[in-house]
Amino acid sequence: MPGSKCNVDPATPKSRTERLMKERNLRKLNRVFNLNEKAGDSLRDADLFSNDSALTETENCASLNGEELSEGIDGHERQDQRLPKQRLLVVANRLPVSAVRQGKDSWQLEISVGGLVSALLGLKEFDARWIGWAGVNVPDEIGQEALTKALAEKKCIPVFLDEDTVHQYYNGYCNNIIWPLFHYLGLPQEDRLSTTRSFQSQFDAYKKANQMFADVVHEHYEEGDVVWCHDYHLMFLPKCLKEKNSNIKVGWFLHTPFPSSEIHRMLPSRRDLLESVLAADLVGFHTYDYARHFVSACTRILGLEGTPEGVENQGKLTRVAAFPIGIDSDRFIRALELPQVQDHIKELKERFAGRKVMLGVDRLDMIKGIPQKILAFEEFLEENPEWRDKVVLLQIAVPTRTDVPEYQKLSSQVHEIVGRINGRFGTLTAVPIHHLDRSLDFHALCALYAVTDVALITSLRDGMNLVSYEFVACQASKKGVLILSEFAGAAQSLGAGALLVNPWNIAEVAASISQALNMPADEREKMHQHNFMHVTTHTSQEWAATFVSELNDTIIEAQLRTRQVPLLPVKVAVERYLQSNNRLLMLGFNATLTEPANTQGVRGGHIRELQSRLHPEIKETLKKLCDDRRTNIVILSGSDRAVLDDNFREYNLWLAAENGMFLRHSTGEWMTTMPENLNMDWVDSVKHVFEYFTERTPGSHFELRETSLVWKYKYAESHFGKLQSKDMLQHLWTGPISNAAVDVVQGDRSVEVRSVGVTKGAAIDRILGEIVRNKGMKSPIDYVLCAGHFLNKDEDVYTFFEPELPCESLALARTRSLDPARTSISMIPDSTNQVKAHQLRKQRSLSTLERSSYRSAAWRPIVHDSMSLPEGSSVLDLKAENFFSCTVSRKQSDARYLLQSSDDVVTLLKELAES
């Protein structure tokens, strides 16, 4: 059908997996090409500088120093520029540089080495720009211009935040509200009333800061750019970007854990943050667990549909996936060959000769589990006295947020425990724990990793923890054992080659320490080889390339999905409406003319929502359309008669209740279009089943209608409701209705049982016939707009009107002939007999076909005083360009076009009325 064709280049891979695999293979080929090119450059450089003794071995090494970082951020000027690169706008809270003001218009920039920096340096196929806060307050224009100019040389773009915004947004909402909650620490406990009062101002500052980031992005955005937003500081950014430009490619990645829905729902701004993140095209997390928690939060808090691909919201699919980050493993492997690192290794081996070395490297933070680690080491020493002078624990605790009382208290607690253990088990010449309250430089850290026998990581909650990756990368010779907390994201990647522990279980950690120290060499080597293979293949560069590749493919997938059911061309629909003489608007009710549920984010009040109400913004528009003599409006709904009466009794239109089985004009009486002798013996048995499942499923209810029963679980817990519906369907199909002439229709969180043949399309012909008789219609209908959130079973309403659908398709192979008497056009005046017979054959009635097929079952309409028999298809003189079938918020449909929500329906009807 028009608008439903997907013309794809045959050379283009059709599935998402095929496209991503092709992209992955291309990246591998490019990597090989770059390595060969570098080798060629090295040979040429060797010839050029063979007599130059100024280049030392250290300078020739490939360690990642400040100059290389600067060169990388400068855009790799020496890389091949023959192919145009896609621009990548990386938006993070902080830029990868630290700025120090030297004068009124002078700045000194220092490169910050980090995982994200090294990851993006490996993306040779993209032209990366960084957007973020420089970490300093610059109130004057001269300073801002000078800093902007200096950062431009590093391909960095600053966002200037004032001190108050930084305090409320960064120190307040980000670090005091979101970060603790995402790490399962809960909301601030002290001074709860003060926190509640300041929360709204902090949240306002958070939204303001995100909008400032968005403004800078839009200022530098060029068509085709990819925007990659990072971390919990910028959860509002995807929405801000999409509101201004819906075509922008936006990805968002969270570097911390995402908590379970039970934790996330504690946030007062829970809905706002989730809806804002869902504006992105691709949402990424370190692990599948975090992605699952996010989808669960969207289904339980927002009431949206979770799918294996992500979260669906009004026809738009936001893809949600796991992308475990890695490290630049080559950097660590190469560093071990440096002379200064070798010197460090030699010194450490001499210092701890005869003792096994255990290592912990953490930020001094509540989530790192440092006290639990030290207490477990103490229990190990208690239970294994033979090890007391044979093992040493080196704990590096890098200080953070030293001005915060909670962190000061943690530092004091750790020092107290370390002092007690060293006093208890130490000697005059040696102590079991060496604790450092400072960071180490890169070379010293690599040496420390290399001499370690057991790495001990006991995070209570960690997004990933790359210390484990760094340890594995430096263990080529030692092949030490990794003890890893099961609450660290790295456990899902390195768990098979590590000893996983619950850091809260002190005895379990102590037993794991004993197991690690006594592990045979062959077992240590097997575990190390498994993890080493993972660390060297799942690098930070591969992580970044995979995310951007999947983001680009997500856009392709969305375009293919949109092409299947394209958006309605509203201007064309309005123009055709104006040019026509006799129009028919066939509109659904639920999710089409009703207000979107829970639009204000108010929880509860479900009883109020059980009764569907007309969208408040459409009432005047609908009256105006109803007053137009050339426009016929039919409300076609599965709801019962009382619901339609309550909402439409004041309008001049037609009401078709219970899928068209009951019909009346708003000023007349109800009449039935039901077939004679309709068998409803199955109702009682199905009713008992529905009552049983309603009792077992809190939040569910069922409706008993005259031609069907509907069980709804919209307000039940989403996952439980789905399980119950599956159980119900299995019971129905094998029990009460196994031999009954009924259809079971699965809807959006509902199960409906109705008699065979009861569909909206089957009733349309009789509905149109009654409209013709009632109005004394003088001219054929030459314009049809059919829009609704119809179930798959009811989408025959679209095919009924389809002018271009062949006879054979419409008949669905149910009959090969038509009753000639039923296709006459005698009821239309002679002036309209110009309608050609072949066109009528295309637009014949589905109800006629049903009668042909079910003649033996006495499938005949019941004729009341006000009901007539002429068929409505005979009043259609419909050309393809004047038919607009629209599905509302359903991406898979037989309709020609898509309206994304009931708000879009309101907008369309307003334009028709105002025209």
Side-chain angles (χ1 to χ4, degrees), residues 662-679:
F662 296 94
L663 176 69
R664 83 173 178 96
H665 190 271
S666 55
T667 59
E669 297 297 324
W670 284 102
M671 63 194 81
T672 182
T673 66
M674 282 194 298
E676 192 177 89
N677 301 325
L678 189 66
N679 188 348

Side-chain angles (χ1 to χ4, degrees), residues 429-448:
T429 56
V431 291
I433 301 177
H434 289 251
H435 180 85
L436 294 182
D437 279 326
R438 63 181 180 86
S439 60
L440 296 179
D441 65 69
F442 175 68
H443 294 142
L445 187 61
C446 289
L448 200 52

Side-chain angles (χ1 to χ4, degrees), residues 30-41:
N30 287 335
R31 200 174 298 130
V32 172
F33 175 78
N34 288 333
L35 287 173
N36 291 337
E37 199 171 52
K38 282 183 179 179
D41 290 343

Side-chain angles (χ1 to χ4, degrees), residues 17-272:
T17 303
E18 287 176 359
R19 289 194 300 272
L20 291 174
M21 289 179 66
K22 182 178 179 181
E23 180 73 21
R24 179 173 177 269
N25 290 334
L26 285 174
R27 286 203 305 272
K28 283 188 173 182
L29 289 174
N30 287 335
R31 200 174 298 130
V32 172
F33 175 78
N34 288 333
L35 287 173
N36 291 337
E37 199 171 52
K38 282 183 179 179
D41 290 343
S42 299
L43 290 173
R44 288 192 295 272
D45 291 343
D47 291 336
L48 288 170
F49 297 104
S50 57
N51 297 321
D52 191 345
S53 59
L55 293 177
T56 65
E57 184 181 356
T58 302
E59 289 169 330
N60 279 320
C61 79
S63 63
L64 190 63
N65 54 35
E67 290 180 3
E68 286 179 323
L69 282 167
S70 178
E71 182 182 347
I73 295 173
D74 288 345
H76 305 285
E77 294 176 359
R78 295 177 60 188
Q79 294 300 316
D80 186 14
Q81 299 295 328
R82 285 172 293 183
L83 294 176
K85 295 182 179 181
Q86 184 178 25
R87 291 211 325 166
L88 176 64
L89 302 182
V90 181
V91 192
N93 177 62
R94 287 292 299 270
L95 289 172
V97 296
S98 299
V100 179
R101 196 162 189 170
Q102 299 291 307
K104 190 174 182 180
D105 58 353
S106 176
W107 291 86
Q108 179 184 348
L109 303 180
E110 183 178 342
I111 303 297
S112 303
V113 181
L116 186 58
V117 179
S118 57
L120 295 173
L121 285 179
L123 289 180
K124 311 296 185 185
E125 63 267 35
F126 295 96
D127 180 11
R129 304 281 201 282
W130 292 74
I131 297 176
W133 176 49
V136 291
N137 180 36
V138 190
D140 59 299
E141 289 187 12
I142 296 177
Q144 291 183 5
E145 290 176 3
L147 181 56
T148 301
K149 185 177 180 181
L151 289 171
E153 298 177 1
K154 308 296 182 186
K155 291 204 170 182
C156 293
I157 302 165
V159 178
F160 294 105
L161 304 175
D162 58 79
E163 285 187 349
D164 182 62
T165 300
V166 170
H167 176 70
Q168 295 259 46
Y169 145 72
Y170 181 68
N171 298 326
Y173 194 77
C174 291
N175 289 339
N176 199 38
I177 302 294
I178 299 183
W179 190 90
L181 196 75
F182 279 20
H183 288 85
Y184 292 79
L185 299 179
L187 294 173
Q189 297 297 313
E190 288 92 3
D191 195 10
R192 297 183 69 89
L193 290 176
S194 174
T195 300
T196 303
R197 285 197 303 270
S198 63
F199 174 84
Q200 189 58 47
S201 64
Q202 292 180 358
F203 185 54
D204 290 342
Y206 182 85
K207 291 190 290 185
K208 175 186 174 183
N210 275 249
Q211 186 60 56
M212 293 171 72
F213 276 86
D215 292 340
V216 175
V217 171
H218 284 301
E219 183 181 342
H220 294 84
Y221 174 79
E222 297 177 4
E223 187 174 355
D225 288 355
V226 171
V227 181
W228 190 1
C229 313
H230 287 270
D231 231 356
Y232 59 92
H233 312 89
L234 301 175
M235 294 181 74
F236 239 84
L237 185 56
K239 181 180 180 181
C240 296
L241 294 172
K242 288 286 190 175
E243 282 179 343
K244 191 165 183 179
N245 184 353
S246 60
N247 295 323
I248 194 171
K249 299 177 184 178
V250 180
W252 181 81
F253 190 89
L254 182 66
H255 293 268
T256 69
F258 191 90
S260 73
S261 59
E262 287 301 305
I263 297 294
H264 183 80
R265 71 194 303 176
M266 295 167 60
L267 264 179
S269 56
R270 58 195 181 183
R271 293 181 62 89
D272 297 317

Side-chain angles (χ1 to χ4, degrees), residues 822-837:
R822 303 302 295 162
T823 58
S824 82
I825 54 173
S826 58
M827 61 166 296
I828 300 296
D830 291 340
S831 61
T832 63
N833 282 340
Q834 300 168 6
V835 181
K836 296 180 180 179

Side-chain angles (χ1 to χ4, degrees), residues 524-539:
R524 287 204 320 267
E525 183 165 354
K526 286 180 182 178
M527 295 177 70
H528 168 75
Q529 287 301 332
H530 177 277
N531 283 347
F532 188 77
M533 181 65 67
H534 180 89
V535 169
T536 52
T537 54
H538 295 74
T539 62

Side-chain angles (χ1 to χ4, degrees), residues 793-811:
K793 183 73 176 177
D794 294 320
E795 289 209 332
D796 52 3
V797 69
Y798 300 136
T799 55
F800 175 88
F801 290 107
E802 187 59 60
E804 296 186 352
L805 196 64
C807 301
E808 291 75 10
S809 297
L810 189 58

